[in-house]
Amino acid sequence: MTRAAVLTGLGTYVPPRVVTNDDLSRSMDTTDEWIRTRTGITRRHWADPGTATGDLAVEAGARALKSAGSADVDLVVLATTTPDHPCPATAPDVAARLGLGNVAAYDIAAVCSGFVYALAAAAGAIASGTAERVLVIGAETYSTILDPADRTTSVIFGDGAGAVVLRAGDPDEPGALLGYDLGSDGSLKDLIMVPGGGSRQRSEAAGEAADGAGSSAGGRPADSYFTMQGKHVFRHAVTRMAASSKEMLRRAGWEPASVDWFVGHQANVRILHAVADQLGMDRGRTVVNLDRVGNTSAASIPLALADAIAGGQVGPGDRVLMSAFGGGVTWGSTALVWPDVTPH
């Protein structure tokens, strides 16, 4: 029998500090109206100083395990763009702090598409028999990489974490992930980027130092900040998410009209509505929670799912389509019939 990855637990966490649009308007040249009309965001959560991505991941992971009713997992996959350290990966530390023992654990870096990529990787481990139960986490502290003077990025992103537990099961049961559509286009890597901190910057800085033209420390302070070409990202996000969603629907054998809820990466409400329009879906079937949490990158889809369940939207038996677009650039989609799972 084909082994499927079945969702059996969901947990989320956002840090307690709320940052409103009005709060941001006191420290940069922006207004609540400017932010709301362009993004749909009214507030977001930012971690307090001293709180890292791993801390949020541990909280969400523990809640997902509680939702699943068991802490018995043999693999942890963490999707993040803001790891605790460049080296080592954050996932092993998260697994240890959750008391999971010597399980396999690794990070995935696909930016806002990271959660869908992580689901696919976990499902592959289950299908191959490498794992029976997997904890998948998307966690971010974007507030640590935002330029406080850049209103085009600082107003958009929030911090948070969402996690699910997947188990081996039957492809026909509720909660079974019905396949994936994944893609990337590295020629567009400059659209979404943190220029500094990697081997590219370090190598170039070392070369400049050898030539007497610079310091081996290298780089400008601004290179450590997140950058994004918003207009180009908007266009590619709509195009790629719509195409990927259509392909995922084809693989699942679903018509757009049969989808109960579209849970897209929560980047911008106009992107979500534009994708729904291209799919021929009612915009009212689009789950939106970015107005309250902002763009939480790899954490956004599980956070949106949990909010939709708490709000009485998504329920057992509903057909759910998920899709994301992120840096790299990357994109991906998956789908499932929602199981009887209570988020924590």
Side-chain angles (χ1 to χ4, degrees):
M1 183 184 74
T2 302
R3 289 162 55 97
V6 180
L7 192 150
T8 189
L10 170 62
T12 61
Y13 178 76
V14 292
R17 180 160 65 113
V18 175
V19 179
T20 67
N21 293 346
D22 287 332
D23 292 334
L24 294 178
S25 70
R26 287 190 282 271
S27 61
M28 65 179 67
D29 181 20
T30 191
T31 64
D32 172 65
E33 181 183 9
W34 190 92
I35 299 169
R36 281 188 294 106
T37 56
R38 286 161 177 79
T39 68
I41 299 167
T42 61
R43 56 190 171 95
R44 73 287 295 146
H45 294 254
W46 282 358
D48 288 326
T51 299
T53 294
D55 301 322
L56 306 189
V58 168
E59 290 286 347
R63 296 180 184 195
L65 294 170
K66 182 178 180 180
S67 172
S70 172
D72 179 20
V73 299
D74 40 23
L75 171 63
V76 176
V77 184
L78 172 62
T80 186
T81 313
T82 55
D84 288 3
H85 309 281
C87 174
T90 304
D93 180 55
V94 170
R97 291 171 62 185
L98 287 171
L100 301 179
N102 298 323
V103 301
Y106 59 86
D107 291 359
I108 282 183
V111 196
C112 300
S113 305
F115 185 73
V116 178
Y117 268 64
L119 289 177
I126 288 174
S128 69
T130 304
E132 294 294 322
R133 294 171 63 90
V134 184
L135 176 62
V136 176
I137 308 172
E140 305 283 12
T141 49
Y142 256 70
S143 61
T144 62
I145 60 172
L146 296 175
D147 182 349
D150 181 6
R151 72 172 183 174
T152 64
T153 57
S154 288
V155 304
I156 296 173
F157 291 90
D159 301 338
V164 298
V165 177
L166 304 178
R167 61 166 175 81
D170 190 316
D172 296 325
E173 65 179 297
L177 295 167
L178 302 177
Y180 307 89
D181 177 75
L182 305 175
S184 72
D185 183 353
S187 70
L188 300 174
K189 66 181 184 295
D190 292 344
L191 295 187
I192 299 171
M193 175 178 284
V194 176
S199 63
R200 178 70 62 193
Q201 179 202 38
R202 293 173 185 273
S203 176
E204 290 173 350
E208 291 173 358
D211 292 338
S215 166
S216 60
R220 302 166 301 164
D223 288 342
S224 63
Y225 291 132
F226 177 89
T227 65
M228 182 173 66
Q229 299 179 35
K231 291 182 179 179
H232 295 296
V233 169
F234 185 102
R235 176 169 56 87
H236 286 288
V238 172
T239 301
R240 296 300 190 178
M241 287 173 65
S244 180
S245 294
K246 289 177 182 178
E247 175 58 22
M248 185 60 236
L249 291 176
R250 186 192 67 79
R251 296 181 186 185
W254 292 358
E255 293 295 328
S258 73
V259 176
D260 294 296
W261 296 104
F262 172 60
V263 185
H265 164 55
Q266 304 288 302
N268 184 304
V269 70
R270 294 185 297 148
I271 291 176
L272 294 173
H273 287 164
V275 173
D277 291 346
Q278 289 204 17
L279 294 176
M281 293 179 58
D282 184 344
R283 290 184 177 185
R285 291 295 184 180
T286 299
V287 170
V288 178
N289 80 329
L290 65 89
D291 55 317
R292 303 181 297 281
V293 297
N295 181 341
T296 55
S297 191
S300 73
I301 287 179
L303 284 171
L305 276 170
D307 278 359
I309 294 166
Q313 293 175 292
V314 175
D318 285 349
R319 288 184 169 188
V320 177
L321 170 66
M322 296 176 275
S323 187
F325 176 89
V329 296
T330 59
W331 57 87
S333 302
T334 188
L336 78 166
V337 174
W338 191 254
D340 187 8
V341 167
T342 302
H344 284 271

